[in-house]
Amino acid sequence: MKTEKKILGEKRRELILKWLKESGLPLTGAELAAKANVSRQVIVQDISLLKARNEPIIATSQGYLYLKTPAPNQIYTRTIACYHTPEQTKEELYLIVDHGVTMKDVKIEHPVYGDLTASVMVSSRQEVDQFIQKIKQTNSSYLLQLTDGTHLHTLEADSLAKLDAACQALQKAGFLIES
């Protein structure tokens, strides 16, 4: 039985960057660890080192993602304020992704820690379902539970019309907090 050799140090980090850049989908720490023949913890440390070098890598609920820089004026973003119960999270996220919009993150204002932001990066019902399943499997809480339901989202789409349509659907469902 042939034992695969570990990929060491800088060469491994270069490969991690290459794999993330080439993949259009998030890659988990376990997937990267298997490719490099190292532990997942080594990958976590490598990702931290790459982030310290200002590589645009984010950790999402589906794995690590390299943020490609979009061409100018192709991506529109909007921050919205929402309010709902934890049980309504799936409905809220479906309303967003069903309009061709990506929900990038969730933000809350915590009384002790200040602004807290978590990357979510869901763009489809399948990704929403995976996110909700991971919350349940890990017995985690939604950030909105720390603020009795009030939270912000950064939305992203390739047109203002999609953002407007998603916001109208959220408003109709009673999730959007009007300014």
Side-chain angles (χ1 to χ4, degrees):
M1 173 194 243
K2 185 182 174 206
T3 307
E4 293 289 322
K5 265 190 104 145
K6 288 183 189 178
I7 300 172
L8 300 176
E10 195 55 38
K11 180 170 176 57
R12 182 180 60 245
R13 287 183 283 282
E14 288 172 12
L15 282 171
I16 290 169
L17 270 179
K18 178 180 179 285
W19 295 329
L20 289 172
K21 287 177 180 179
E22 289 174 352
S23 175
L25 302 171
L27 297 174
T28 67
E31 290 169 327
L32 292 169
K35 285 180 156 209
N37 199 31
V38 295
S39 70
R40 193 184 69 75
Q41 186 56 40
V42 169
I43 297 299
V44 170
Q45 292 169 354
D46 284 341
I47 294 292
S48 294
L49 288 170
L50 291 168
K51 285 180 177 183
R53 295 180 194 167
N54 294 318
E55 291 291 349
I57 299 169
I58 61 167
T60 72
S61 58
Q62 293 91 32
Y64 295 108
L65 190 61
Y66 189 89
L67 292 180
K68 296 169 178 70
T69 307
N73 301 324
Q74 283 192 335
I75 301 296
Y76 300 90
T77 61
R78 183 176 299 166
T79 300
I80 59 170
C82 296
Y83 174 85
H84 59 79
T85 66
E87 296 77 24
Q88 294 172 304
T89 299
K90 187 176 191 175
E91 180 185 355
E92 175 204 39
L93 295 178
Y94 276 1
L95 286 173
I96 292 169
V97 301
D98 285 353
H99 287 89
V101 174
T102 297
M103 196 274 282
K104 291 182 64 173
D105 57 33
V106 59
K107 300 175 188 175
I108 63 163
E109 187 177 320
H110 190 273
V112 175
Y113 299 114
D115 292 337
L116 296 178
T117 303
S119 177
V120 179
M121 297 299 287
V122 294
S123 301
S124 68
R125 282 184 173 232
Q126 180 182 10
E127 290 173 351
V128 169
D129 291 344
Q130 289 170 347
F131 173 74
I132 300 291
Q133 182 179 5
K134 192 168 237 181
I135 292 283
K136 289 178 182 174
Q137 283 177 340
T138 59
N139 201 27
S140 296
S141 298
Y142 295 101
L143 281 183
L144 64 86
Q145 289 175 275
L146 297 173
T147 57
D148 294 323
T150 302
H151 58 287
L152 302 175
H153 289 304
T154 305
L155 304 182
E156 185 177 85
D158 59 8
S159 76
L160 287 174
K162 288 179 181 179
L163 289 174
D164 290 342
C167 289
Q168 288 170 0
L170 291 167
Q171 183 178 14
K172 185 176 178 185
F175 295 152
L176 206 57
I177 298 172
E178 294 298 318
S179 52

